[in-house]
Amino acid sequence: MTRADVGIHSVKTSLVKLFWIGVALLIMYLFDWFDLVKERTNEFAAGILAFIAIFAFLYVFNFFRAPAIIQAETDERVDELEGQLDDRAARQAAIDTLWQLRSEGISLRNRDGKHGTETVTTFAQWQTEYNEWRTAVLNSAREINVNLHNWLERLDRTVLNPPNLTYFDLEHERLTRIMSTMLDRMQRYLEKDLIWPEGNT
């Protein structure tokens, strides 16, 4: 027999039950039930009988409470598992979005001075798209991991751009270096979640 068989799961619940046992004994005393038992048995046997009665009451009480307790624990565990699945699904959705944003970022970065950013107007449009892309990347990264968000947001150094790119001006070159660095860090992070089939690593 274990502690759970009589409902003793923790110190707190045990103290509460002891309190109610004390109340029950007090009621027995006030209504002379204990004296009635003592008249028919000696004092020691009365104490044993009272203990057995209380023990039996607790056992039966917990026996009938068990289905509800088990159901509550099961429901709690199911909710916990469903929450974990929801978290995993949300994380995977954010990772999928990050892969998509990386693909869009490569296309945007490669729209260089000879292929789409050769005028003030086209560069201004490119810069607007760059700002929207960077914001979307940071928002998606935060959903996955705050550290990833900070790693992409705070750049203390930048990587080199692909050698064949041309630039509208120095600001264009600086922003494309930022994009290249973010793209590189995104790739390095996303590669950690890749699961390759055996034999293809």
Side-chain angles (χ1 to χ4, degrees), residues 49-75:
L49 182 61
F51 175 80
I52 293 174
I54 293 169
F55 183 87
F57 170 78
L58 288 175
Y59 189 87
V60 173
F61 177 74
N62 284 287
F63 177 80
F64 285 105
R65 284 183 66 233
I69 294 174
I70 293 173
Q71 184 62 49
E73 292 175 349
T74 301
D75 292 342

Side-chain angles (χ1 to χ4, degrees), residues 49-184:
L49 182 61
F51 175 80
I52 293 174
I54 293 169
F55 183 87
F57 170 78
L58 288 175
Y59 189 87
V60 173
F61 177 74
N62 284 287
F63 177 80
F64 285 105
R65 284 183 66 233
I69 294 174
I70 293 173
Q71 184 62 49
E73 292 175 349
T74 301
D75 292 342
E76 183 179 352
R77 182 57 178 165
V78 169
D79 291 341
E80 180 183 349
L81 292 174
E82 288 179 347
Q84 291 176 357
L85 291 175
D86 291 342
D87 290 343
R88 290 178 183 176
R91 184 177 186 278
Q92 185 58 52
I95 288 176
D96 293 343
T97 299
L98 202 63
W99 276 113
Q100 180 62 34
L101 287 169
R102 187 177 186 280
S103 178
E104 294 174 3
I106 292 172
S107 298
L108 183 60
R109 181 200 59 189
N110 293 345
R111 198 189 306 167
D112 64 1
K114 292 182 179 179
H115 306 92
T117 57
E118 63 274 11
T119 67
V120 173
T121 301
T122 54
F123 173 66
Q125 177 61 33
W126 181 92
Q127 195 169 15
T128 298
E129 293 181 41
Y130 159 82
N131 290 329
E132 293 174 350
W133 174 84
R134 183 173 183 275
T135 298
V137 168
L138 294 178
N139 289 340
S140 182
R142 182 177 288 278
E143 293 181 20
I144 300 171
N145 189 304
V146 173
N147 291 330
L148 174 61
H149 170 274
N150 294 337
W151 194 41
L152 294 175
E153 182 184 37
R154 303 169 185 174
L155 306 179
D156 59 336
R157 61 180 67 87
T158 57
V159 302
L160 296 176
N161 283 322
N164 58 332
L165 291 183
T166 59
Y167 312 102
F168 176 74
D169 58 13
L170 292 178
E171 177 64 7
H172 184 203
E173 188 274 337
R174 185 183 73 87
L175 295 180
T176 54
R177 275 192 291 110
I178 291 174
M179 289 192 73
S180 291
T181 305
M182 293 179 68
L183 290 168
D184 176 69

Side-chain angles (χ1 to χ4, degrees), residues 1-14:
M1 182 174 293
T2 64
R3 292 183 304 169
D5 293 328
V6 291
I8 302 176
H9 297 283
S10 66
V11 174
K12 181 179 179 180
T13 56
S14 300

